[in-house]
Amino acid sequence: MSIFEKTKLPEDPPPDGSEANSRDLPTSDRLYNDDIKPVTNQNWSTYNLFAMWMSNVHSVAGYVIAASLFALGLNGWQVFSAIIVGITIIYFFTNMTGGMGQKWGIAFAAACRPAFGVFGANIPSMIKATTATVWYGVQTWVASNALVVVGLKFWPALEGLTKSSFLGLTLLGWICFTIMWVSQILVFYYGWETIRKFCDWAGPAIYVVMALLAVWITAKAGGLGKLSFSLSSEQLSGGAAVHQWFIALAFTVAWFAGTTLNFADFGRLVKSNKAMKAGNFLGLPVNLVLFALVAVITTSGGMQVFGELITDPVLLVARIDNYTAALLGALTFMTATIATNIVANFVSAAMDLSNLVPHVLSFRRAGLVASIVSVIVMPWKLYANPEMVQWTLGSLGAFIGPIFGIIMMDYYILRRQNIRLDHLYTASPAGAYWYSNGFNKKTIAALILAGLIANIVAQLPALAGIAPFAWFFGAGFGAILHYFFSRSDVAATQAQLFE
């Protein structure tokens, strides 16, 4: 059965009447299921996407990162300018990855198929799935650890549950981890519509709590005049300041690199390209600058009130005198972290695992598999070993940039945004994206070489000064190598398909 008999195409059909000969290509269940087929009911609005980005940013980890940028030794305007430039770069890149998904209604894994081959696409998608699954576990544990702190603050009797441990976690730790783990599954399991509705209120809710927290901490500190927009005791100037400025920019880009790569998973749901760009603009440049502003006001106020730098908002709200307000604040941060983890990690892991064996794993089943694996890897032990994190997740993460560069070069430059949906979902050797048994060896070679370059930049001690820019090196070399390795093959294929 052809894909055209299973689903209606998006509004933008293949040009030049190329649909005519597509019905001869059978759709393979090794490449297709109801979750990874092209979306036709694109009903997400600008607000839905804006709320999704708020849910992505407004978390404990996001707060810590935002506050940490102001501790690099730069003054306030230098940090804000680095954030603005970095997030503007991400805004344009996200419009590119999301534009591919929105136009054709396809997810990230399917978007990899023209460049890597219908089965070769599992290589980049599994790299993304692996990092997303492990980080999902790490973020769940970080949030549960904060829940432990809050629990002990409000119910000291829980101290007895910390006396014994199993596999590196105390009984209270396991209880809190399980609460966070199950909570995320409940949101995810009911599908995309539940995720959308959850993000719609979770993202804005954290703004209300953060605004109230900022007002409270500012009043305690004696007013805005007592606050500083620089959280570092040392102020840099000259070349050192310029270097740190670029590092702040690189951190901002790296913060969103993973979600940017698989943003087609979300872009495919948005009703129009215009709505997607508007949602991205509100959710990225506008939202991040406001979030960073509130974060630094709150953190700076915390320094004045408590005499120490507290970058964890949960620890900060635990210091609030009013127990009810502190508890509500902590629970809101926990909710926001759940939303962030689902958006940034859970969705990617589930979609990419489903793509690996779509005839076996639906979106829900793949999500459950990812959830179980996130516990098996015992993220609390992994996170406690920085060297292990660097050499495992760091090495895999260094391939994120090359994957992005290859896909964008392939789609926007070599194919000029023209692909064939029916060829994406067929295992027929007659398919344009079949290559050699479903694998494009030239693109895979480009990925390996660019990934090695990015890893050398990220891991080699002698290159520590440019290590924060590993994503840029990987993306650039990935794009260049793919262009020179594959341009003649792509040109021939495109001519055959569309001319």
Side-chain angles (χ1 to χ4, degrees), residues 186-245:
L186 289 176
V187 175
F188 158 83
Y189 191 77
Y190 287 97
W192 281 100
E193 187 64 13
T194 301
I195 292 173
R196 179 184 67 81
K197 291 178 179 179
F198 183 75
C199 290
D200 280 352
W201 72 265
I206 194 64
Y207 256 136
V208 175
V209 172
M210 285 195 64
L212 293 174
L213 181 60
V215 170
W216 177 82
I217 202 76
T218 301
K220 283 282 188 179
L224 286 173
K226 298 291 185 178
L227 305 184
S228 170
F229 281 91
S230 177
L231 304 179
S232 174
S233 58
E234 178 184 4
Q235 293 299 301
L236 302 176
S237 60
V242 172
H243 181 68
Q244 289 296 88
W245 185 91

Side-chain angles (χ1 to χ4, degrees), residues 349-366:
M351 290 297 296
D352 294 336
L353 284 172
S354 179
N355 183 75
L356 182 65
V357 280
H359 56 296
V360 176
L361 294 178
S362 64
F363 180 63
R364 287 185 175 88
R365 289 177 183 173

